[in-house]
């Protein structure tokens, strides 16, 4: 069976009758080996977990009561984008809004592109591109000490557009794999991986946060 550019060998009982017990067992086994593609929530949840560390990095780290309020050398560093934590928090909230808006727009665009281009190419480009943007945003800018609010906004818009390429294409592939009678059960069970990803993402992020948010 050809499914979204992918060839899948289905046992004959699955094709003949989707209501038999062995069919359900086969579907569960398929779920164990499907690519862990899910909605974007795990990544956004992990970003939420490091917001406090990012905010601390973007605001003055030395605030001495005996020093002048705006002493340039002693109390301010070049990498500080904002005067206080409140401004940094507002900007991080704006980044969330930018990401969600670009993700919503990208869902429509990705669906149109996925209908016209090989789904494997769209998935690969979206996932790899998003990984590169995440690296640029969180790691490379910190290594090179590049701190620019416009750069962060641009990267996060690009991140939302790239991540949006995943979900519509995966839904299209999954919809071709399974018939209409069992599709609701499969999608319901498979979508639970988003909640599992949120839990694991929060745990992993908090466990390594002491080494730096990047």
């Amino acid at each position: 069976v050809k499914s979204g550019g992918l060839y899948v060998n289905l046992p004959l009982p699955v094709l003949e009758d989707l209501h038999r017990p062995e069919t359900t067992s086969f579907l569960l086994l398929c779920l164990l080996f499907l690519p862990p593609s899910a909605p974007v929530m795990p990544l956004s949840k992990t970003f939420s977990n490091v917001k406090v560390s990012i905010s601390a990095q973007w605001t003055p780290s030395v605030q001495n009561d005996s020093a002048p309020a705006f002493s340039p050398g002693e109390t301010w560093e070049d990498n500080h984008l904002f005067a206080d934590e409140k401004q940094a928090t507002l900007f991080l909230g704006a980044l969330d809004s930018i990401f969600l808006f670009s993700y919503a727009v990208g869902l429509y665009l990705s669906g149109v592109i996925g209908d016209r281009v090989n789904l494997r190419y769209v998935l690969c480009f979206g996932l790899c591109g998003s990984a590169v943007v995440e690296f640029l945003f969180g790691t490379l800018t910190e290594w090179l000490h590049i701190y620019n609010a416009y750069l962060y906004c641009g990267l996060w818009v690009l991140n939302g557009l790239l991540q949006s390429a995943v979900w519509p294409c995966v839904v299209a592939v999954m919809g071709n794999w399974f018939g209409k009678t069992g599709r609701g059960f499969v999608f319901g069970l498979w979508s639970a991986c988003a909640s599992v990803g949120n839990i694991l993402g929060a745990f992993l992020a908090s466990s390594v946060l002491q080494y730096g948010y990047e």
Side-chain angles (χ1 to χ4, degrees), residues 87-105:
Q87 294 183 13
T89 302
L90 290 175
F91 179 72
L92 289 172
L95 283 181
D96 277 336
S97 300
I98 290 172
F99 174 82
L100 293 175
F101 180 79
S102 60
Y103 182 79
V105 174

Side-chain angles (χ1 to χ4, degrees), residues 5 13 30 40 55 61 84 118 129 148:
C30 284
V40 74
S55 177
S61 58
D84 52 38
N118 192 310
N148 187 284

Side-chain angles (χ1 to χ4, degrees), residues 59-152:
T59 54
S61 58
V62 180
Q63 292 189 1
N64 192 342
D65 294 337
S66 61
F70 297 99
S71 180
E74 291 76 13
T75 55
W76 296 88
E77 298 178 12
D78 294 336
N79 62 333
H80 291 136
L81 296 174
F82 306 101
D84 52 38
E85 184 179 353
K86 181 179 180 180
Q87 294 183 13
T89 302
L90 290 175
F91 179 72
L92 289 172
L95 283 181
D96 277 336
S97 300
I98 290 172
F99 174 82
L100 293 175
F101 180 79
S102 60
Y103 182 79
V105 174
L107 285 176
Y108 172 77
L109 299 177
S110 300
V112 175
I113 296 174
D115 290 335
R116 292 165 172 78
V117 183
N118 192 310
L119 292 176
R120 289 179 295 181
Y121 298 153
V122 180
L123 281 171
C124 181
F125 180 78
L127 287 172
C128 295
S130 177
V132 171
V133 171
E134 292 277 346
F135 177 77
L136 293 176
F137 180 92
T139 305
L140 189 63
T141 55
E142 185 66 29
W143 286 354
L144 301 179
H145 302 289
I146 301 175
Y147 303 96
N148 187 284
Y150 298 104
L151 175 63
Y152 289 132

